[in-house]
Amino acid sequence: MSHFVQVLVLAPFLFMMLILPEAPARLGTRQKYEPKFMGAPFTVLFGVPLLTLPLQLKHPDGKSLLVLAAVSVLVAYGLTRRQSPPRLKKRHLLIAARTAGLLAAVAAAEFVAAPEGRGSRLIGVALVATTAYLGCLRATDTGYWPLLLVKSGGFTALTVVVIGWWIGDLDPSTQTGLALAATLLLWASAAIALTQLVVGGVRLRRWLRHGPPEFPAPPGVGYWPPSPGEVWNLLLTHDDDNYKDRPVLVLEREPTHANVLIITSRDKAGSKHHLRLDFDEWQHVLSKPGYLATDITPVPYSDFRSCRGECTDRFWEWLKRNPRIRDRRRDAPAPGFARRHRLASARNKHVGVNAG
């Protein structure tokens, strides 16, 4: 009965790793990385028997073994590519390398847990190994917010420790039935927890040093990256730590941030630090007349939300020659770049409150 409960706890978790995105919804939007729904588990369930065909035959001839091995490789490639996010599907060398990793993971699991196995034991071990490997890839590909990834890994690791203590014997080669299933699921969950902790820790270290990465795009942002001359909506952090959804004009893109010019609808007539925007020229990207700040403001990539469009070529060429555009020199980090801001953004939060 205890092994049944252990399987009942671990199996849904493992399969949910194939479905749910690791990154939660972003601030200010309900959008996020798309879940895979039930298609991913069913694809794995139907694909694994084909993946293990070369191992199912007791005495295959050379030609049959080559054909079945080719089928196995194609199935592994299809499983890996299907589980990859859209931005990686066309990177065929990366998908091929991941396919080799999947085949190696399945072979290693078979060597340890089913060295002489046939039939259901062989398929069961391959099913758990495949699900764990693809779950690790999904956590890596969708774990945009590093602190949340570490938190998820810590929770998974705690669950593994508790159930591992409950199981006791963790050698799958000596087990059968539900005991074998529970042990395999435990090792698979441990692999996912380790992946989450390591990947999350490495990304958190880089995040705190350099800020959110230029690639990949934050969850929920379809068009990427922001390019010079484009008008974007973003969550702009002010000097008082509060933030507001504001339109900005992207001036240039750096590896660690983008430099923008803030657009405001407040009347800035007479200000030497603002340029009046001709609404007839800007109504395709702005909903009301506005003014463009001449001070360059650095913005973390994680604060970008959506692209409104592009400014006109005439205005862009004029702006590049305008001597009033200047970089503000600051003694302290710009808003959004202090360590406390980066720690908050690493878990999809802001230090202040929404001032909008």
Side-chain angles (χ1 to χ4, degrees):
M1 181 64 180
S2 62
H3 292 310
F4 176 77
V5 175
Q6 293 158 3
V7 171
L8 199 63
V9 171
L10 292 172
F13 162 77
L14 196 62
F15 276 97
M16 289 301 285
M17 285 299 300
L18 298 178
I19 301 172
L20 296 179
E22 189 67 29
R26 302 184 65 229
L27 285 168
T29 177
R30 296 180 181 272
Q31 294 177 305
K32 55 190 174 184
Y33 289 136
E34 289 298 324
K36 292 291 185 179
F37 298 108
M38 294 306 296
F42 280 120
T43 302
V44 172
L45 286 172
F46 286 110
V48 165
L50 296 175
L51 192 67
T52 59
L53 279 178
L55 302 175
Q56 296 283 358
L57 299 181
K58 293 184 178 180
H59 303 290
D61 56 60
K63 185 176 180 180
S64 298
L65 185 61
L66 284 177
V67 172
L68 294 179
V71 171
S72 180
V73 171
L74 289 175
V75 170
Y77 184 90
L79 290 174
T80 306
R81 188 175 186 275
R82 191 196 186 287
Q83 194 64 12
S84 299
R87 70 176 189 274
L88 299 180
K89 288 186 183 293
K90 293 183 179 180
R91 298 179 61 179
H92 301 294
L93 288 179
L94 175 63
I95 301 297
R98 290 183 167 190
T99 300
L102 172 58
L103 294 172
V106 171
E110 300 289 1
F111 178 78
V112 173
E116 303 295 332
R118 288 288 185 271
S120 60
R121 184 183 181 97
L122 189 72
I123 294 177
V125 172
L127 177 62
V128 174
T130 301
T131 305
Y133 182 82
L134 296 179
C136 290
L137 292 184
R138 182 129 178 97
T140 301
D141 293 337
T142 65
Y144 182 83
W145 314 103
L147 262 181
L148 294 182
L149 191 59
V150 171
K151 180 181 177 181
S152 179
F155 176 79
T156 305
L158 179 61
T159 304
V160 167
V161 170
V162 171
I163 297 183
W165 172 80
W166 186 9
I167 292 176
D169 182 12
L170 301 180
D171 183 5
S173 63
T174 61
Q175 298 171 336
T176 58
L178 286 175
L180 173 64
T183 302
L184 290 175
L185 290 170
L186 183 75
W187 281 113
S189 301
I192 292 176
L194 181 62
T195 299
Q196 292 172 322
L197 290 171
V198 171
V199 173
V202 170
R203 290 178 178 174
L204 179 60
R205 182 172 179 268
R206 184 180 58 193
W207 191 291
L208 294 179
R209 282 189 171 189
H210 307 294
E214 183 179 5
F215 294 97
V221 180
Y223 171 79
W224 194 259
S227 299
E230 292 178 342
V231 177
W232 279 71
N233 280 346
L234 55 77
L235 298 175
L236 183 69
T237 302
H238 298 290
D239 290 325
D240 61 358
D241 286 342
N242 295 327
Y243 61 96
K244 186 177 181 181
D245 194 340
R246 299 285 294 273
V248 299
L249 175 63
V250 180
L251 194 62
E252 56 188 355
R253 200 170 69 233
E254 303 285 351
T256 58
H257 65 276
N259 292 320
V260 305
L261 300 176
I262 302 171
I263 300 174
T264 179
S265 58
R266 293 184 178 180
D267 188 0
K268 296 293 182 178
S271 171
K272 64 179 181 179
H273 298 307
H274 289 82
L275 301 172
R276 182 180 177 276
L277 300 177
D278 184 358
F279 187 61
D280 290 337
E281 188 177 15
W282 285 81
Q283 61 181 346
H284 66 290
V285 290
L286 298 178
S287 58
K288 60 182 72 173
Y291 290 82
L292 181 71
T294 57
D295 291 336
I296 299 174
T297 301
V299 178
Y301 285 113
S302 59
D303 287 345
F304 282 84
R305 293 188 56 211
S306 60
C307 181
R308 285 172 168 254
E310 298 180 356
C311 70
T312 63
D313 293 338
R314 186 204 66 81
F315 181 86
W316 182 246
E317 292 301 323
W318 174 81
L319 185 69
K320 290 191 296 184
R321 299 191 302 268
N322 195 311
R324 294 173 61 183
I325 304 302
R326 64 191 184 94
D327 190 6
R328 290 188 297 175
R329 300 299 176 182
R330 307 174 59 97
D331 295 330
F337 286 84
R339 188 176 181 84
R340 66 182 185 279
H341 295 112
R342 287 179 173 173
L343 273 172
S345 66
R347 61 181 190 276
N348 194 22
K349 300 289 185 181
H350 270 83
V351 173
V353 297
N354 191 340

